[in-house]
Amino acid sequence: MATPSLALPFATDLAPAAVKTARATGTRLTVRGLSKHYEGLAALDAVDLDVGAGELVALLGPSGSGKTTLLRVIAGLLQPGAGAVHFDDTDATRLSLRERGVGFVFQHYALFRHMTVAENIAFGLRSRPRSRRPSKADIARRVQELLALVQLPEHGGRYPEQLSGGQKQRIALARALAIEPRVLLLDEPFGALDAKVRVELRRWLRRLHEQTGQTTLFVTHDQEEALELADRVVLLRDGRIEQVGTPAEIYETPASAFAFDFIGRASTIDGEVRDGRFGDGHAIAALPTDSAPGRARLYFRPHDAVLADMGFAGRVADIRRLAGVTTVEVELAHGGTVEVDVANDVAVPERGAAVHVKPRRYGVFAY
Ligand code: ADP
Ligand code: MG
């Protein structure tokens, strides 16, 4: 996947003038050796992270993996035990939230209930010291631009309680963008919304990002959201970075058993690595990478395997037909069950039939 600032079409005639400014000043974010401990537990353990100017990076990981801690340290809401945060060439590690100029949206972003939508968006600009505060007319213009940008141009006079959950989060985003932040930090912003709205909003956010080119770090525990939305995905596990890559790299070549399990569907076969090959006693597979001899587990995606004449032997245990794809569940002769996805128009052996499973793309990891 190409660098977004080069590859993405910039809708010049659509984007308001103030938004173009934000794009031109996209900030590079660099994190080095960041650690944070809570009573001996490492919430962050020597994290290195690079986010390019104008890039949208998803921080993905299970609950408790350190995503919020990392975001809060970058924002300046939390001091790290060790390490540094740079915005472009400026060391921001000791700067306050306000000095860093970051925009923040949380899962449950409390808009001010007693203020209209327009007043909410204007809040960050109005509360600036007089010397740096734009004029009333400029603030009003900026608010109208932002309302147009988040596609709620007529909603400025409403109160938060008159908005749907999805509209509230779009206003929260407009409010975060109002100060022209150097970096936009989003912590599960769509996490509290229902599935259909979440899907709509992530596509909307992706288009918005293509217009603004705002450097963005987006936290989620939802792999689909991360893979669909981001230029690059950073997979976190227990306060450490497990893998970094484009969505395609993360999905197609998971670097560890954890990455295979956490992202997408995975089937596994237990066996052993011997003489440079993986075997389960019935069949063998060449190793995709060097693996040490010993107990190992082969991982593959159900759509990366076929039913063939040779391979891991078993019997069809179940057949499930879903929109567009048929999943064949195979009980292996050597123990365990795996799944193979085939197209709906392909003939499938019936339940109980003897078959062989041949993974075409897979990873082998010791355990
Ligand atoms: P995530 O956002 O990925 O769910 P967090 O960054 O919130 O994870 O938490 C990472 C780890 O740090 C978890 O084990 C959590 O329990 C712990 N943690 C977070 N904040 C605190 C705190 N204020 N005090 C003690 N432990 C904390
Ligand atoms: Mg969190």
Side-chain angles (χ1 to χ4, degrees):
M1 206 157 290
T3 315
S5 50
L6 297 176
L8 297 175
F10 179 28
T12 314
D13 45 356
L14 294 178
V19 174
K20 282 187 235 166
T21 316
R23 181 181 184 80
T25 57
T27 297
R28 193 163 32 86
L29 170 67
T30 314
V31 163
R32 287 290 172 267
L34 220 53
S35 293
K36 178 76 188 173
H37 287 79
Y38 291 111
E39 290 141 25
L41 171 122
L44 293 177
D45 189 3
V47 170
D48 292 336
L49 175 67
D50 292 282
V51 181
E55 198 178 20
L56 198 172
V57 169
L59 264 184
L60 174 66
S63 177
S65 57
K67 306 181 296 294
T68 294
T69 305
L70 180 52
L71 219 62
R72 291 175 71 83
V73 170
I74 292 169
L77 292 162
L78 199 61
Q79 274 301 311
V85 177
H86 281 79
F87 288 1
D88 287 332
D89 296 324
T90 310
D91 185 349
T93 318
R94 306 285 153 208
L95 299 182
S96 70
L97 172 77
R98 189 177 273 252
E99 289 165 327
R100 290 182 199 205
V102 297
F104 220 130
V105 178
F106 302 99
Q107 180 171 356
H108 299 282
Y109 196 88
L111 292 172
F112 299 124
R113 287 169 50 201
H114 60 285
M115 288 185 194
T116 64
V117 162
E119 287 164 350
N120 265 283
I121 296 173
F123 181 80
L125 294 174
R126 282 198 185 145
S127 51
R128 277 185 182 167
R130 192 173 296 263
S131 61
R132 289 177 43 239
R133 194 185 314 153
S135 71
K136 269 199 173 137
D138 282 345
I139 291 179
R141 200 173 310 125
R142 176 90 182 127
V143 166
Q144 210 45 54
E145 278 175 2
L146 286 160
L147 282 169
L149 186 71
V150 301
Q151 292 170 356
L152 293 169
E154 311 294 332
H155 290 62
R158 292 207 192 176
Y159 284 87
E161 65 184 16
Q162 297 170 304
L163 301 176
S164 70
Q167 289 172 336
K168 273 185 211 162
Q169 289 307 75
R170 277 149 68 183
I171 296 302
L173 202 62
R175 184 172 131 147
L177 288 169
I179 59 158
E180 296 187 28
R182 304 186 71 181
V183 176
L184 190 57
L185 305 174
L186 310 174
D187 194 353
E188 314 225 16
F190 309 141
L193 307 171
D194 68 57
K196 188 162 172 288
V197 176
R198 247 180 20 226
V199 171
E200 284 167 11
L201 278 186
R202 74 175 177 242
R203 291 179 186 160
W204 168 82
L205 181 68
R206 181 67 229 180
R207 290 194 299 274
L208 181 81
H209 180 262
E210 288 170 13
Q211 280 186 52
T212 63
Q214 178 85 52
T215 308
T216 304
L217 202 49
F218 183 101
V219 161
T220 179
H221 67 268
D222 179 343
Q223 38 121 354
E224 245 178 61
E225 192 167 73
L227 294 177
E228 190 175 327
L229 186 65
D231 298 315
R232 279 190 309 141
V233 175
V234 173
L235 183 60
L236 267 185
R237 175 195 191 184
D238 295 338
R240 289 164 171 268
I241 290 182
E242 182 85 0
Q243 189 174 358
V244 180
T246 63
E249 285 165 354
I250 293 268
Y251 186 78
E252 285 162 17
T253 48
S256 63
F258 174 82
F260 249 112
D261 272 332
F262 190 70
I263 293 162
R265 287 159 62 215
S267 274
T268 61
I269 300 173
D270 286 356
E272 201 177 342
V273 168
R274 200 189 298 163
D275 303 330
R277 311 199 113 197
F278 172 88
D280 76 336
H282 286 252
I284 52 171
L287 288 172
T289 50
D290 286 344
S291 305
R295 280 189 349 144
R297 189 168 279 164
L298 181 143
Y299 285 74
F300 65 90
R301 306 264 184 235
H303 66 85
D304 281 335
V306 290
L307 297 175
D309 295 338
M310 298 211 307
F312 296 96
R315 279 189 189 282
V316 175
D318 201 6
I319 299 166
R320 298 193 306 269
R321 288 200 169 78
L322 265 165
V325 68
T326 297
T327 298
V328 181
E329 205 179 289
V330 177
E331 224 173 78
L332 295 176
H334 192 64
T337 302
V338 297
E339 292 183 343
V340 179
D341 285 351
V342 299
N344 274 351
D345 55 2
V346 171
V348 192
E350 57 199 44
R351 200 182 290 210
V355 290
H356 290 86
V357 175
K358 189 170 166 51
R360 291 207 277 215
R361 178 155 57 181
Y362 48 87
V364 174
F365 304 101
Y367 75 100

